[in-house]
Amino acid sequence: MTHYEEEFKKKVVRLHLEEGRTLKSLADEYGASKAAISKWIRTYREECQINPNNKNEYDYMKENLKLRKQLEETEKENRFLKKAAAFFAKEIE
């Protein structure tokens, strides 16, 4: 059985919770099994229930993920609107 350092586990958990990375992509990139990563995430969530510092950090990571997704959606909408504006500008000419 492979032993992983706590900082490594925390980094992988953070990538999942904060950036929305899938278990598969993390397993492929870092060489840990999806089951191990899932366990690390579950353990971290449980720790958040009893440790206020972890809870605050967890809330921050979830909020960051939510904002990243909102920004991505806004950027997609912006690109669409720019294309539509360019299309209609050509139609007017």
Side-chain angles (χ1 to χ4, degrees):
M1 182 162 115
T2 305
H3 174 74
Y4 295 98
E5 297 294 324
E6 287 303 314
E7 284 302 312
F8 175 79
K9 293 177 186 180
K10 191 172 184 177
K11 176 183 178 180
V12 173
V13 169
R14 180 179 298 276
L15 288 169
H16 174 70
L17 295 175
E18 198 170 303
E19 296 183 11
R21 297 274 307 272
T22 65
L23 297 183
K24 181 178 178 355
S25 73
L26 291 168
D28 290 346
E29 184 172 340
Y30 292 99
S33 70
K34 291 191 309 184
I37 296 170
S38 180
K39 181 181 177 200
W40 301 341
I41 294 165
R42 186 174 49 256
T43 300
Y44 182 75
R45 287 183 175 146
E46 290 168 359
E47 289 172 3
C48 290
Q49 301 303 313
I50 54 177
N51 183 332
N53 289 335
N54 283 357
K55 173 76 169 113
N56 290 338
E57 184 178 25
Y58 177 77
D59 290 344
Y60 168 78
M61 286 190 276
K62 294 303 280 182
E63 179 69 12
N64 195 8
L65 178 60
K66 177 183 163 192
L67 293 173
R68 283 176 188 260
K69 288 181 177 181
Q70 285 176 344
L71 177 60
E72 185 179 320
E73 186 63 31
T74 301
E75 288 172 342
K76 284 181 190 175
E77 291 170 358
N78 221 5
R79 285 191 299 272
F80 173 78
L81 291 172
K82 284 180 182 179
K83 289 178 183 178
F87 173 79
F88 287 116
K90 287 180 183 176
E91 291 292 313
I92 294 173
E93 293 176 358

